[in-house]
Amino acid sequence: MLTGKPIAHGGDLGEVRRRHPDAPQPWIDLSTGINPVPYPVIEQPADVWSRLPSREAEQALIAAAAARYRCAPGQLVAAPGTQALIQILPRLVPRSRVAIVGPTYAEHEHNWRRHGHDVAVVTTLEAADADVVVVVNPDNPTGRILPTQALRGVTARLLVVDEAFIDLLPGEASLAGNLPGNAVVLRSFGKTYGLAGLRLGFAVAHEALARQLRDELGPWAVAGPALTIGAAALADDAWLQAAATRLADDAHRLDALLASAGFTILGGTTLFRLASHPKAHDKVEDLARQGIHVRAFGHQPTWLRFGLPAGDGEFRRLSAALQVPQKVR
């Protein structure tokens, strides 16, 4: 197995705080694609912390997720975050040729390589000629969206579609509701619902693979609070609709702000924006000195990813840091 230094991710303020101990507080973390206004967490019964997660609570979660993702309950596997599923899948497949459509979320490539697979990162779906094809849809960080018709045309033995950022798109954009025979779909909970620390995600797969995934995860894979909070959130249509409207408005607002500051908008999703700037590294450090953390990319030195600020106060701080006059709303 391959090992190596950890992959850089957003969301960890420790290093940037050490570099800039005098930055204004509190820090604004725009380095992730997580909804900055989370689902309101309901108070948990005291015994949820002292007893094992119940089968009844897990079934309620699966039922809510099946309704949200428009799939059969038997196709769903609940996990402590989609990252756990990304790490398990390469263990279940004999050594294979794997094509990953990129650039994309680096953990996919890392984990398939780590388990001895022959991995190639390709730039188009048409170039993905392999036993296993991996697609992040919408892509992270570019926001590229591949149509379901194109994905259904993939003839690989296994098609892995990571739909971590698809919740805010129309349901027809997902493969989960009409799953091809060779596909497994990964769905994230924490990003759209703003509760990444809850660690909850799902695989949508046909019976044999779903059973293998459950066996690998073992009993009580999802914590009791995650079961009850996830079930309530996934069943809350009104909250999701309101969040989608607010996030779309804020994404447009962020695009306008970044463009005014000299950035070129390259893409992204409703939860994050990808932009370029010829002095991206300088911008990262300048923002950090002002207590704002954004995501840089070593392989694309002009790229920066900005998560959405959480309301007017954070937008005002970002505007001031970028030296862009903030319009009165």
Side-chain angles (χ1 to χ4, degrees):
M1 292 186 182
L2 294 178
T3 58
K5 65 180 182 179
I7 293 172
H9 295 293
D12 187 350
L13 286 172
E15 181 183 351
V16 70
R17 278 175 169 155
R18 285 191 294 271
R19 293 204 318 267
H20 300 280
D22 299 323
Q25 302 290 329
W27 277 82
I28 298 176
D29 186 2
L30 305 182
S31 68
T32 72
I34 297 168
N35 186 345
V37 183
Y39 186 81
V41 174
I42 57 177
E43 185 175 351
Q44 299 293 298
D47 65 351
V48 78
W49 306 104
S50 58
R51 57 181 170 83
L52 289 170
S54 71
R55 177 63 61 87
E56 182 181 19
E58 182 180 17
Q59 289 174 338
L61 171 69
I62 292 296
R68 172 63 55 206
Y69 303 148
R70 307 193 303 178
C71 64
Q75 295 178 318
L76 270 166
V77 180
T82 51
Q83 180 62 39
L85 297 162
I86 289 170
Q87 295 192 208
I88 288 172
L89 277 168
R91 303 205 304 255
L92 304 182
V93 178
R95 288 193 177 182
S96 304
R97 293 181 304 115
V98 178
I100 299 173
V101 182
T104 195
Y105 182 56
E107 289 286 350
H108 287 288
E109 179 184 358
H110 173 72
N111 280 284
W112 286 96
R113 287 193 189 280
R114 193 164 62 89
H115 288 283
H117 298 276
D118 179 11
V119 179
V121 178
V122 299
T123 57
T124 66
L125 188 62
E126 292 74 18
D129 180 16
D131 306 308
V132 178
V133 173
V134 180
V135 176
V136 179
N137 200 46
D139 183 52
N140 173 19
T142 68
R144 176 206 61 232
I145 300 173
L146 295 175
T148 55
Q149 182 178 0
L151 293 171
R152 292 184 188 284
V154 173
T155 59
R157 186 172 69 241
L158 178 65
L159 170 64
V160 181
V161 184
D162 182 345
E163 295 184 346
F165 290 98
I166 211 166
D167 288 333
L168 301 171
L169 294 177
E172 296 75 19
S174 171
L175 280 185
N178 185 12
L179 192 69
N182 64 339
V184 55
V185 169
L186 306 181
R187 296 293 294 251
S188 172
F189 173 83
K191 294 177 177 62
T192 296
Y193 291 89
L195 297 172
L198 201 67
R199 306 312 303 138
L200 179 61
F202 301 89
V204 184
H206 290 292
E207 182 178 350
L209 181 55
R211 184 171 56 250
Q212 285 182 287
L213 288 168
R214 292 188 195 101
D215 288 346
E216 288 294 316
L217 287 163
W220 314 298
V222 178
L227 294 176
T228 55
I229 294 167
L234 288 166
D236 195 337
D237 291 337
W239 183 89
L240 185 61
Q241 291 170 6
T245 299
R246 174 183 53 78
L247 291 165
D249 288 345
D250 284 351
H252 289 306
R253 184 180 180 185
L254 181 57
D255 279 354
L257 171 56
L258 294 175
S260 297
F263 290 85
T264 300
I265 307 301
L266 301 178
T269 72
T270 309
L271 287 171
F272 63 83
R273 310 305 296 155
L274 181 67
S276 69
H277 195 283
K279 296 183 178 180
H281 175 76
D282 293 342
K283 292 292 183 182
V284 169
E285 290 304 304
D286 186 45
L287 288 169
R289 283 190 287 272
Q290 299 176 78
I292 300 173
H293 183 33
V294 299
R295 176 75 159 88
F297 298 89
H299 67 287
Q300 292 286 354
T302 65
W303 286 10
L304 294 178
R305 190 185 67 194
F306 289 77
L308 301 185
D312 289 343
E314 290 195 2
F315 266 105
R316 282 193 292 270
R317 274 188 65 184
L318 180 60
S319 296
L322 293 173
Q323 299 182 335
V324 175
Q326 177 71 2
K327 296 179 180 178
V328 176
R329 288 171 62 86

